[in-house]
């Protein structure tokens, strides 16, 4: 048995469509929790609107946001997984098919970075990364379309032997720069160490981690907890018009590296766009998020 | 629940000057929307050259809001609209607010201090839309009255659309010099040393 081109094409295409129309269950829960804690009436109104918009979009199969962004896929391939057909072409073809069939249609957000020409397709689009998972006989796919609102405020700096205090100060600096603009309450993803590219990869993987799932190492789990509290002390609040909920979660991961330590920070907006699916060798498709 | 004020467009300067940062409003009437940086740059460049915009914007609402339209049966219909990040237009907006004499600016994420100063002088407020509020905000669409600059991609065009009870929208910047965005940014900046010492304490407790 093998994972076929057809299955990959339809699954990745549907994941993108679903990401645009539904807020993940854990994010919905986080928004509802924030609503009970907020005392600021404008913040409460905004959180109510978010929840109402999420419900309406889901019920009517409409988009939550007009910025469908660029589709990105993180793919974790089990070493025992078998493929029948061209994996990358399947994803590209699935995206093209979705663009052609989408109702309502997608706006043209895919941009040539040198000419600023906009369309629905382009070089290296969708953006896909691959990892290997030893022993697994399936493939896990995470789709997380990235729009300008939250995508714009990701940042990276490379330090030399930084203290944890310096790392945390930098994360706060990035959060303050994003301020009201990243459509808070956000999820903050942080990657520390490795190399220039690896730190950003860790940040992106962290940002899609389910809300409520702490890092397994207590040192990092504590860092996540205190950073979440610190981010919420900034007071930006829902949509940055004031309140106690600027972030729903802060997720951190790290890798060993040299003494030059990159720290990457990225954001997901309140919609927290992401879907996660597992496809087994026998073609079974399981939506896990 | 906070009170929501219903406003009919066009609204006169007096009414706009009554609004305060933090107020919630709903709009009924014609607004003009575009999410395109090229569109705002073109407006500014034509303003510099003394070319009149394709529609009168004096006393009107011009929002950083994108839309998707479809031509059906000889009629142009909007399928959806939704705000974009206003700070992208920080460079263009101060002059556009003054030069075009608009009464309402808006989108999401706020505008800078120079825009706020222009708004105070002209009598214009900034309205914050729900980012990612596409489904609900689109319910307010009544009909498209005109589309200008159709040579651009859809969300870049200047679209005149009649809306009914659009919102609630939050007044983010008022005509009295109050900007929620500037105040929150300054507050957060001022509080940063405390937040960082809080982080240091939390690290030690562990």
């Amino acid at each position: 048995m093998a994972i076929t081109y057809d299955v990959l094409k339809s699954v990745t295409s549907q994941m993108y469509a679903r990401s645009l129309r539904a807020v993940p269950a854990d994010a919905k829960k986080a928004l509802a929790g924030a609503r009970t804690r907020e005392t600021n009436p404008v913040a409460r109104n905004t959180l109510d609107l978010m929840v109402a918009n999420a419900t309406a979009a889901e019920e009517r199969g409409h988009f939550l946001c007009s910025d469908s962004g660029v589709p990105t896929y993180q793919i974790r391939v089990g070493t025992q997984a078998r493929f029948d057909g061209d994996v990358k072409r399947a994803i590209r073809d699935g995206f093209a098919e979705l663009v052609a069939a989408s109702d309502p249609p997608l706006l043209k957000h895919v941009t040539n970075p040198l000419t600023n020409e906009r369309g629905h397709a382009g070089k290296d689009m969708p953006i896909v990364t691959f990892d290997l998972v030893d022993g697994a006989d399936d493939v896990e796919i995470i789709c997380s379309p990235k729009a300008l609102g939250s995508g714009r405020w990701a940042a990276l700096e490379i330090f030399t032997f930084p203290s944890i205090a310096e790392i945390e100060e930098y994360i706060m600096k990035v959060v303050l720069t994003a301020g009201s603009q990243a459509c808070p309450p956000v999820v903050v993803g942080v990657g520390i160490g490795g190399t220039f590219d690896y730190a950003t990869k860790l940040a992106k993987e962290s940002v899609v981690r389910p809300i409520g799932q702490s890092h397994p190492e207590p040192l990092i789990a504590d860092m996540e907890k205190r950073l979440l509290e610190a981010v919420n002390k900034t007071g930006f609040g829902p949509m940055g018009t004031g309140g106690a909920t600027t972030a729903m979660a802060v997720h951190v991961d790290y890798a060993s590296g040299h003494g030059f330590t990159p720290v990457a920070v990225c954001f997901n907006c309140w919609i927290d766009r992401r879907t996660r699916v597992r496809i087994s060798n026998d073609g079974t498709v399981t939506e896990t998020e | 629940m906070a009170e929501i004020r219903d406003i009919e467009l066009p609204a006169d300067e007096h009414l706009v000057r009554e609004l305060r940062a933090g107020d919630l409003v709903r709009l009924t009437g014609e607004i003009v929307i575009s999410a395109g940086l090229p569109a705002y740059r073109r407006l500014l460049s034509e303003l510099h050259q003394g070319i009149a915009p394709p529609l009168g914007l004096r006393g009107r609402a011009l929002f950083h809001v994108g839309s998707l339209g479809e031509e059906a049966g000889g009629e142009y219909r909007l399928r959806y609209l939704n705000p974009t990040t206003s700070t992208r237009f920080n460079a263009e907006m101060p002059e556009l607010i003054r030069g075009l004499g608009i009464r309402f600016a808006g989108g999401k994420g706020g505008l800078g201090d120079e825009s706020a100063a222009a708004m105070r002088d002209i009598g214009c407020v900034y309205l914050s839309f729900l980012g990612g509020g596409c489904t609900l905000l689109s319910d307010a669409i009544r009909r498209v009255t005109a589309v200008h600059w159709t040579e651009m991609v859809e969300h870049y065009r200047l679209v005149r659309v009649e809306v009914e009870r659009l919102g609630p929208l939050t007044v983010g910047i008022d005509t009295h010099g109050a900007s929620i965005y500037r105040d929150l940014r300054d507050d957060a900046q001022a509080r940063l040393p405390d937040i960082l010492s809080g982080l240091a304490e939390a690290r030690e407790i562990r």
Side-chain angles (χ1 to χ4, degrees), chain A residues 42 45 53 57 60 63-66 103 105 107-108 118 165 168 176 180-181 183 222 226 233-234 239-240 242 270, chain B residues 1 22 67 70 79-80 82 87 108-109 130-136 139 155-156 181 184 188-189 191 195 199 203 206:
Chain A
V42 172
N45 176 70
N53 193 54
R60 299 191 223 160
F63 297 152
L64 281 143
C65 182
S66 59
D103 183 34
L107 284 166
K108 291 173 177 164
R118 299 199 105 166
E168 292 183 357
L176 255 63
S180 60
Q181 303 166 100
C183 289
D222 281 352
R226 65 173 174 264
K233 278 188 193 156
T234 58
M239 282 319 291
W270 71 268
Chain B
M1 197 43 176
S67 63
E70 277 174 348
R79 291 292 304 275
Y80 55 85
N82 199 51
T87 48
K108 68 164 192 81
L130 174 65
C134 192
T135 311
L136 292 184
D139 284 346
H155 41 309
Y156 286 6
Y181 308 100
L184 289 175
Q189 201 63 50
R191 233 179 295 128
I195 294 173
L199 277 169
R203 271 195 301 275
R206 206 192 108 65

Short mmCIF file of all heavy atoms in Angstrom, two decimals, chain A residues 42 45 53 57 60 63-66 103 105 107-108 118 165 168 176 180-181 183 222 226 233-234 239-240 242 270, chain B residues 1 22 67 70 79-80 82 87 108-109 130-136 139 155-156 181 184 188-189 191 195 199 203 206:
data_model
loop_
_atom_site.label_atom_id
_atom_site.label_comp_id
_atom_site.label_asym_id
_atom_site.label_seq_id
_atom_site.Cartn_x
_atom_site.Cartn_y
_atom_site.Cartn_z
N VAL A 42 -14.50 47.09 25.59
CA VAL A 42 -14.13 47.04 24.17
C VAL A 42 -13.49 45.68 23.85
O VAL A 42 -13.79 45.05 22.83
CB VAL A 42 -13.17 48.20 23.80
CG1 VAL A 42 -12.63 48.03 22.39
CG2 VAL A 42 -13.88 49.53 23.92
N ASN A 45 -16.15 43.06 23.73
CA ASN A 45 -16.89 43.18 22.47
C ASN A 45 -16.10 42.54 21.32
O ASN A 45 -16.65 41.79 20.51
CB ASN A 45 -17.17 44.66 22.17
CG ASN A 45 -17.84 44.86 20.82
OD1 ASN A 45 -19.00 44.50 20.65
ND2 ASN A 45 -17.10 45.38 19.86
N ASN A 53 -17.75 35.50 14.61
CA ASN A 53 -17.26 35.38 13.24
C ASN A 53 -16.78 33.95 12.96
O ASN A 53 -17.02 33.42 11.87
CB ASN A 53 -16.13 36.38 12.98
CG ASN A 53 -15.80 36.50 11.51
OD1 ASN A 53 -16.68 36.77 10.70
ND2 ASN A 53 -14.55 36.26 11.16
N ALA A 57 -18.49 31.74 10.09
CA ALA A 57 -17.67 31.25 8.98
C ALA A 57 -17.80 29.74 8.85
O ALA A 57 -17.95 29.20 7.74
CB ALA A 57 -16.21 31.64 9.20
N ARG A 60 -21.38 28.76 7.63
CA ARG A 60 -21.72 29.13 6.24
C ARG A 60 -20.65 28.73 5.24
O ARG A 60 -20.77 29.03 4.05
CB ARG A 60 -21.92 30.65 6.16
CG ARG A 60 -23.05 31.13 7.05
CD ARG A 60 -23.32 32.58 6.70
NE ARG A 60 -23.51 33.42 7.84
CZ ARG A 60 -23.39 34.74 7.82
NH1 ARG A 60 -23.01 35.35 6.71
NH2 ARG A 60 -23.61 35.46 8.90
N PHE A 63 -15.09 32.47 4.44
CA PHE A 63 -13.75 32.74 4.96
C PHE A 63 -13.82 33.55 6.26
O PHE A 63 -14.66 34.43 6.41
CB PHE A 63 -12.92 33.54 3.96
CG PHE A 63 -12.66 32.84 2.67
CD1 PHE A 63 -12.45 33.56 1.51
CD2 PHE A 63 -12.61 31.45 2.61
CE1 PHE A 63 -12.21 32.93 0.30
CE2 PHE A 63 -12.37 30.80 1.40
CZ PHE A 63 -12.18 31.55 0.24
N LEU A 64 -12.88 33.26 7.15
CA LEU A 64 -12.74 34.07 8.36
C LEU A 64 -12.06 35.39 8.05
O LEU A 64 -12.34 36.41 8.64
CB LEU A 64 -11.89 33.31 9.38
CG LEU A 64 -12.64 32.22 10.14
CD1 LEU A 64 -11.74 31.03 10.37
CD2 LEU A 64 -13.15 32.77 11.45
N CYS A 65 -11.10 35.32 7.12
CA CYS A 65 -10.29 36.49 6.78
C CYS A 65 -10.19 36.56 5.26
O CYS A 65 -10.15 35.53 4.59
CB CYS A 65 -8.90 36.33 7.39
SG CYS A 65 -7.80 37.72 7.10
N SER A 66 -10.16 37.76 4.72
CA SER A 66 -10.06 37.89 3.26
C SER A 66 -8.65 37.58 2.77
O SER A 66 -8.44 37.28 1.61
CB SER A 66 -10.45 39.30 2.83
OG SER A 66 -9.59 40.23 3.44
N ASP A 103 -15.15 28.65 -3.62
CA ASP A 103 -16.33 29.51 -3.53
C ASP A 103 -16.55 29.87 -2.07
O ASP A 103 -16.87 29.00 -1.28
CB ASP A 103 -17.55 28.78 -4.09
CG ASP A 103 -18.77 29.68 -4.08
OD1 ASP A 103 -18.61 30.89 -4.28
OD2 ASP A 103 -19.88 29.17 -3.84
N PRO A 105 -14.32 32.87 -4.13
CA PRO A 105 -12.97 32.81 -4.70
C PRO A 105 -11.92 33.44 -3.78
O PRO A 105 -12.25 34.23 -2.90
CB PRO A 105 -13.10 33.63 -5.99
CG PRO A 105 -14.55 33.78 -6.24
CD PRO A 105 -15.22 33.75 -4.91
N LEU A 107 -8.66 35.82 -3.11
CA LEU A 107 -8.00 37.01 -3.66
C LEU A 107 -6.56 36.63 -4.05
O LEU A 107 -6.01 35.66 -3.54
CB LEU A 107 -7.98 38.13 -2.61
CG LEU A 107 -9.32 38.85 -2.42
CD1 LEU A 107 -9.29 39.68 -1.14
CD2 LEU A 107 -9.63 39.75 -3.61
N LYS A 108 -5.99 37.44 -4.92
CA LYS A 108 -4.62 37.16 -5.36
C LYS A 108 -3.62 37.70 -4.35
O LYS A 108 -3.38 38.90 -4.30
CB LYS A 108 -4.38 37.80 -6.73
CG LYS A 108 -5.19 37.14 -7.83
CD LYS A 108 -5.05 37.91 -9.13
CE LYS A 108 -5.82 37.17 -10.24
NZ LYS A 108 -6.05 38.02 -11.40
N ARG A 118 1.06 40.17 -8.61
CA ARG A 118 0.28 39.28 -7.75
C ARG A 118 -0.54 38.29 -8.55
O ARG A 118 -0.98 38.59 -9.66
CB ARG A 118 -0.66 40.09 -6.86
CG ARG A 118 0.08 41.03 -5.93
CD ARG A 118 -0.79 41.47 -4.79
NE ARG A 118 -0.38 40.77 -3.59
CZ ARG A 118 -0.76 41.13 -2.36
NH1 ARG A 118 -1.59 42.12 -2.18
NH2 ARG A 118 -0.34 40.45 -1.32
N ALA A 165 17.86 35.92 30.18
CA ALA A 165 17.27 37.25 30.33
C ALA A 165 17.33 38.02 29.01
O ALA A 165 16.36 38.66 28.62
CB ALA A 165 18.00 38.02 31.43
N GLU A 168 14.80 36.53 26.53
CA GLU A 168 13.42 36.90 26.85
C GLU A 168 13.16 38.39 26.57
O GLU A 168 12.07 38.76 26.14
CB GLU A 168 13.11 36.54 28.31
CG GLU A 168 13.08 35.02 28.51
CD GLU A 168 12.70 34.58 29.91
OE1 GLU A 168 12.49 35.43 30.79
OE2 GLU A 168 12.62 33.35 30.13
N LEU A 176 6.42 43.82 21.35
CA LEU A 176 6.08 45.25 21.42
C LEU A 176 6.06 45.89 20.03
O LEU A 176 5.24 46.77 19.77
CB LEU A 176 7.07 45.99 22.33
CG LEU A 176 6.53 46.38 23.70
CD1 LEU A 176 6.16 45.16 24.53
CD2 LEU A 176 7.52 47.23 24.47
N SER A 180 -0.34 46.11 18.08
CA SER A 180 -1.74 45.91 17.69
C SER A 180 -1.88 45.29 16.30
O SER A 180 -2.97 44.96 15.88
CB SER A 180 -2.43 47.28 17.68
OG SER A 180 -1.77 48.13 16.76
N GLN A 181 -0.75 45.13 15.61
CA GLN A 181 -0.83 44.87 14.17
C GLN A 181 -0.97 43.41 13.76
O GLN A 181 -1.37 43.13 12.64
CB GLN A 181 0.40 45.48 13.48
CG GLN A 181 0.51 46.96 13.75
CD GLN A 181 1.86 47.51 13.38
OE1 GLN A 181 2.01 48.09 12.33
NE2 GLN A 181 2.86 47.32 14.22
N CYS A 183 -3.05 41.17 14.75
CA CYS A 183 -4.37 40.63 15.07
C CYS A 183 -4.37 39.78 16.34
O CYS A 183 -4.69 38.59 16.32
CB CYS A 183 -4.95 39.83 13.90
SG CYS A 183 -5.44 40.89 12.52
N ASP A 222 8.49 26.38 31.78
CA ASP A 222 8.43 27.55 32.68
C ASP A 222 8.63 28.84 31.91
O ASP A 222 8.00 29.85 32.19
CB ASP A 222 9.53 27.44 33.75
CG ASP A 222 9.14 26.49 34.86
OD1 ASP A 222 7.97 26.05 34.88
OD2 ASP A 222 10.01 26.17 35.71
N ARG A 226 5.99 31.98 31.89
CA ARG A 226 6.28 33.35 32.35
C ARG A 226 6.24 34.35 31.19
O ARG A 226 5.87 35.51 31.37
CB ARG A 226 7.58 33.43 33.15
CG ARG A 226 8.85 33.13 32.42
CD ARG A 226 10.08 33.41 33.29
NE ARG A 226 11.27 32.96 32.60
CZ ARG A 226 11.84 31.78 32.79
NH1 ARG A 226 11.36 30.93 33.67
NH2 ARG A 226 12.91 31.43 32.10
N LYS A 233 0.89 41.26 29.99
CA LYS A 233 1.02 42.49 30.79
C LYS A 233 1.22 43.71 29.90
O LYS A 233 1.15 44.84 30.37
CB LYS A 233 2.20 42.36 31.75
CG LYS A 233 1.88 41.61 33.03
CD LYS A 233 3.05 41.70 34.00
CE LYS A 233 2.90 40.72 35.13
NZ LYS A 233 4.19 40.38 35.72
N THR A 234 1.49 43.50 28.62
CA THR A 234 1.70 44.66 27.74
C THR A 234 0.43 45.47 27.56
O THR A 234 0.47 46.67 27.32
CB THR A 234 2.20 44.23 26.33
OG1 THR A 234 1.23 43.35 25.77
CG2 THR A 234 3.55 43.55 26.39
N MET A 239 -7.26 42.66 19.14
CA MET A 239 -7.12 43.62 18.03
C MET A 239 -6.32 44.87 18.44
O MET A 239 -6.35 45.89 17.75
CB MET A 239 -8.48 44.05 17.45
CG MET A 239 -9.12 43.05 16.53
SD MET A 239 -8.02 42.21 15.38
CE MET A 239 -7.56 43.52 14.26
N GLY A 240 -5.60 44.80 19.54
CA GLY A 240 -4.73 45.91 19.94
C GLY A 240 -5.46 47.17 20.33
O GLY A 240 -4.92 48.27 20.21
N GLY A 242 -6.67 47.42 23.46
CA GLY A 242 -6.61 47.40 24.91
C GLY A 242 -7.24 46.17 25.53
O GLY A 242 -8.28 45.72 25.07
N TRP A 270 -5.28 35.68 15.87
CA TRP A 270 -6.29 35.04 16.73
C TRP A 270 -6.98 33.86 16.06
O TRP A 270 -7.44 32.94 16.73
CB TRP A 270 -7.33 36.08 17.20
CG TRP A 270 -8.27 36.57 16.14
CD1 TRP A 270 -8.11 37.68 15.34
CD2 TRP A 270 -9.52 35.99 15.73
NE1 TRP A 270 -9.16 37.81 14.49
CE2 TRP A 270 -10.05 36.80 14.71
CE3 TRP A 270 -10.25 34.87 16.15
CZ2 TRP A 270 -11.26 36.52 14.08
CZ3 TRP A 270 -11.46 34.60 15.53
CH2 TRP A 270 -11.95 35.42 14.51
N MET B 1 -22.89 45.18 28.24
CA MET B 1 -22.36 45.36 26.89
C MET B 1 -22.15 46.84 26.60
O MET B 1 -22.97 47.67 26.98
CB MET B 1 -23.37 44.76 25.90
CG MET B 1 -22.79 44.51 24.54
SD MET B 1 -21.21 43.82 24.78
CE MET B 1 -20.55 43.43 23.37
N GLY B 22 -12.26 54.61 21.81
CA GLY B 22 -12.89 53.57 22.63
C GLY B 22 -14.39 53.45 22.38
O GLY B 22 -14.99 52.45 22.76
N SER B 67 -11.55 43.80 -0.87
CA SER B 67 -12.81 43.16 -1.22
C SER B 67 -12.63 42.26 -2.43
O SER B 67 -11.70 42.43 -3.21
CB SER B 67 -13.87 44.22 -1.53
OG SER B 67 -13.47 44.98 -2.65
N GLU B 70 -17.53 40.28 -8.03
CA GLU B 70 -17.84 39.45 -9.19
C GLU B 70 -18.85 40.16 -10.06
O GLU B 70 -19.79 40.77 -9.55
CB GLU B 70 -18.46 38.12 -8.75
CG GLU B 70 -17.47 37.09 -8.34
CD GLU B 70 -18.15 35.84 -7.77
OE1 GLU B 70 -19.36 35.88 -7.48
OE2 GLU B 70 -17.44 34.85 -7.60
N ARG B 79 -18.47 39.89 -2.94
CA ARG B 79 -18.67 38.65 -2.20
C ARG B 79 -18.22 38.82 -0.75
O ARG B 79 -18.77 38.23 0.15
CB ARG B 79 -17.87 37.51 -2.86
CG ARG B 79 -18.42 37.08 -4.21
CD ARG B 79 -19.77 36.40 -4.10
NE ARG B 79 -19.79 35.25 -3.22
CZ ARG B 79 -19.45 34.01 -3.57
NH1 ARG B 79 -19.08 33.74 -4.80
NH2 ARG B 79 -19.50 33.02 -2.69
N TYR B 80 -17.15 39.58 -0.55
CA TYR B 80 -16.71 39.81 0.83
C TYR B 80 -15.79 41.03 0.93
O TYR B 80 -15.23 41.48 -0.08
CB TYR B 80 -16.03 38.58 1.43
CG TYR B 80 -14.87 37.98 0.68
CD1 TYR B 80 -13.57 38.46 0.84
CD2 TYR B 80 -15.04 36.88 -0.15
CE1 TYR B 80 -12.49 37.88 0.20
CE2 TYR B 80 -13.97 36.28 -0.81
CZ TYR B 80 -12.69 36.78 -0.63
OH TYR B 80 -11.62 36.21 -1.26
N ASN B 82 -13.01 42.95 4.06
CA ASN B 82 -12.26 42.68 5.29
C ASN B 82 -11.08 43.65 5.39
O ASN B 82 -10.53 44.03 4.36
CB ASN B 82 -11.73 41.23 5.23
CG ASN B 82 -11.34 40.67 6.58
OD1 ASN B 82 -12.12 40.72 7.51
ND2 ASN B 82 -10.16 40.14 6.68
N THR B 87 -0.99 50.32 9.17
CA THR B 87 0.34 50.93 9.33
C THR B 87 1.16 50.84 8.04
O THR B 87 2.12 51.59 7.87
CB THR B 87 1.13 50.27 10.48
OG1 THR B 87 1.05 48.85 10.33
CG2 THR B 87 0.54 50.66 11.83
N LYS B 108 -7.21 48.03 10.20
CA LYS B 108 -6.88 47.42 11.48
C LYS B 108 -5.45 47.76 11.88
O LYS B 108 -4.62 48.00 11.01
CB LYS B 108 -7.10 45.92 11.45
CG LYS B 108 -6.12 45.22 10.54
CD LYS B 108 -6.09 43.76 10.81
CE LYS B 108 -4.90 43.10 10.13
NZ LYS B 108 -3.64 43.26 10.88
N GLY B 109 -5.21 47.79 13.18
CA GLY B 109 -3.85 47.99 13.67
C GLY B 109 -3.44 49.43 13.89
O GLY B 109 -2.37 49.70 14.41
N LEU B 130 -12.64 44.51 12.87
CA LEU B 130 -12.13 43.21 13.33
C LEU B 130 -11.30 42.58 12.22
O LEU B 130 -11.83 42.27 11.15
CB LEU B 130 -13.30 42.28 13.70
CG LEU B 130 -12.88 40.85 14.07
CD1 LEU B 130 -12.06 40.83 15.35
CD2 LEU B 130 -14.10 39.95 14.21
N GLY B 131 -9.98 42.41 12.46
CA GLY B 131 -9.14 41.69 11.51
C GLY B 131 -9.62 40.25 11.49
O GLY B 131 -9.88 39.66 12.54
N GLY B 132 -9.76 39.66 10.32
CA GLY B 132 -10.32 38.31 10.27
C GLY B 132 -11.79 38.31 10.63
O GLY B 132 -12.29 37.38 11.24
N GLY B 133 -12.48 39.38 10.28
CA GLY B 133 -13.91 39.47 10.57
C GLY B 133 -14.73 39.36 9.30
O GLY B 133 -15.85 39.88 9.21
N CYS B 134 -14.15 38.68 8.33
CA CYS B 134 -14.69 38.67 6.96
C CYS B 134 -16.17 38.27 6.88
O CYS B 134 -16.96 38.96 6.23
CB CYS B 134 -13.85 37.72 6.13
SG CYS B 134 -14.15 37.82 4.38
N THR B 135 -16.54 37.20 7.53
CA THR B 135 -17.92 36.69 7.38
C THR B 135 -18.93 37.71 7.89
O THR B 135 -19.88 38.08 7.19
CB THR B 135 -18.09 35.36 8.13
OG1 THR B 135 -17.03 34.50 7.75
CG2 THR B 135 -19.42 34.69 7.77
N LEU B 136 -18.72 38.19 9.11
CA LEU B 136 -19.70 39.10 9.72
C LEU B 136 -19.66 40.49 9.07
O LEU B 136 -20.70 41.08 8.82
CB LEU B 136 -19.46 39.23 11.22
CG LEU B 136 -19.75 37.98 12.05
CD1 LEU B 136 -19.55 38.27 13.53
CD2 LEU B 136 -21.15 37.44 11.78
N ASP B 139 -21.62 40.83 5.89
CA ASP B 139 -23.09 40.88 6.01
C ASP B 139 -23.62 42.30 5.82
O ASP B 139 -24.80 42.48 5.53
CB ASP B 139 -23.54 40.37 7.39
CG ASP B 139 -23.46 38.85 7.48
OD1 ASP B 139 -23.32 38.21 6.42
OD2 ASP B 139 -23.53 38.32 8.60
N HIS B 155 -8.48 43.66 -4.83
CA HIS B 155 -8.43 44.31 -3.51
C HIS B 155 -7.65 45.63 -3.53
O HIS B 155 -7.58 46.32 -2.54
CB HIS B 155 -7.94 43.36 -2.41
CG HIS B 155 -6.80 42.47 -2.81
ND1 HIS B 155 -6.80 41.71 -3.95
CD2 HIS B 155 -5.63 42.20 -2.20
CE1 HIS B 155 -5.69 41.03 -4.03
NE2 HIS B 155 -4.95 41.31 -2.99
N TYR B 156 -7.03 45.95 -4.67
CA TYR B 156 -6.32 47.23 -4.80
C TYR B 156 -7.24 48.35 -5.31
O TYR B 156 -6.93 49.52 -5.19
CB TYR B 156 -5.17 47.09 -5.80
CG TYR B 156 -3.95 46.34 -5.31
CD1 TYR B 156 -3.94 45.71 -4.07
CD2 TYR B 156 -2.80 46.27 -6.08
CE1 TYR B 156 -2.81 45.02 -3.64
CE2 TYR B 156 -1.68 45.59 -5.65
CZ TYR B 156 -1.69 44.97 -4.44
OH TYR B 156 -0.58 44.30 -4.02
N TYR B 181 -3.72 53.38 19.99
CA TYR B 181 -2.50 52.69 19.55
C TYR B 181 -1.26 53.33 20.15
O TYR B 181 -0.37 52.66 20.67
CB TYR B 181 -2.42 52.67 18.02
CG TYR B 181 -3.69 52.13 17.44
CD1 TYR B 181 -4.68 52.99 16.93
CD2 TYR B 181 -3.96 50.77 17.46
CE1 TYR B 181 -5.87 52.49 16.45
CE2 TYR B 181 -5.15 50.27 16.98
CZ TYR B 181 -6.11 51.14 16.47
OH TYR B 181 -7.29 50.65 16.01
N LEU B 184 -1.31 52.77 24.04
CA LEU B 184 -0.98 51.40 24.45
C LEU B 184 0.49 51.09 24.19
O LEU B 184 1.14 50.44 25.00
CB LEU B 184 -1.87 50.39 23.71
CG LEU B 184 -3.34 50.36 24.13
CD1 LEU B 184 -4.12 49.40 23.23
CD2 LEU B 184 -3.51 49.96 25.59
N ALA B 188 3.01 50.24 27.14
CA ALA B 188 3.73 48.96 27.14
C ALA B 188 5.23 49.22 27.23
O ALA B 188 5.95 48.55 27.97
CB ALA B 188 3.40 48.16 25.88
N GLN B 189 5.70 50.24 26.50
CA GLN B 189 7.11 50.60 26.51
C GLN B 189 7.53 51.05 27.91
O GLN B 189 8.57 50.65 28.42
CB GLN B 189 7.34 51.72 25.49
CG GLN B 189 8.77 51.88 25.02
CD GLN B 189 9.30 50.65 24.28
OE1 GLN B 189 8.65 50.16 23.37
NE2 GLN B 189 10.46 50.15 24.70
N ARG B 191 6.13 50.27 30.66
CA ARG B 191 6.00 49.16 31.60
C ARG B 191 7.05 48.08 31.37
O ARG B 191 7.20 47.16 32.19
CB ARG B 191 4.60 48.56 31.51
CG ARG B 191 3.92 48.49 32.87
CD ARG B 191 2.52 47.94 32.82
NE ARG B 191 1.63 48.80 32.07
CZ ARG B 191 0.87 48.37 31.08
NH1 ARG B 191 0.89 47.10 30.71
NH2 ARG B 191 0.06 49.20 30.46
N ILE B 195 8.01 44.71 33.46
CA ILE B 195 7.70 43.38 32.91
C ILE B 195 8.96 42.52 32.91
O ILE B 195 8.93 41.36 33.29
CB ILE B 195 7.11 43.51 31.49
CG1 ILE B 195 5.74 44.23 31.53
CG2 ILE B 195 6.96 42.14 30.84
CD1 ILE B 195 5.13 44.55 30.18
N LEU B 199 9.86 39.07 34.87
CA LEU B 199 10.40 37.86 34.24
C LEU B 199 11.62 37.35 35.02
O LEU B 199 11.77 36.15 35.24
CB LEU B 199 10.81 38.17 32.79
CG LEU B 199 9.69 38.12 31.73
CD1 LEU B 199 10.19 38.70 30.41
CD2 LEU B 199 9.21 36.69 31.51
N ARG B 203 12.03 33.78 36.99
CA ARG B 203 13.14 32.86 36.70
C ARG B 203 13.82 32.39 37.97
O ARG B 203 14.21 31.24 38.10
CB ARG B 203 14.19 33.56 35.83
CG ARG B 203 13.95 33.44 34.34
CD ARG B 203 15.19 33.83 33.54
NE ARG B 203 15.63 35.19 33.78
CZ ARG B 203 15.15 36.27 33.15
NH1 ARG B 203 14.18 36.15 32.27
NH2 ARG B 203 15.61 37.46 33.43
N ARG B 206 11.94 29.66 40.21
CA ARG B 206 12.01 28.27 39.77
C ARG B 206 13.07 27.47 40.50
O ARG B 206 14.16 27.85 40.71
CB ARG B 206 12.30 28.23 38.27
CG ARG B 206 11.82 26.98 37.61
CD ARG B 206 12.37 26.87 36.22
NE ARG B 206 13.39 25.84 36.12
CZ ARG B 206 13.17 24.55 36.29
NH1 ARG B 206 11.98 24.14 36.63
NH2 ARG B 206 14.14 23.65 36.14
#
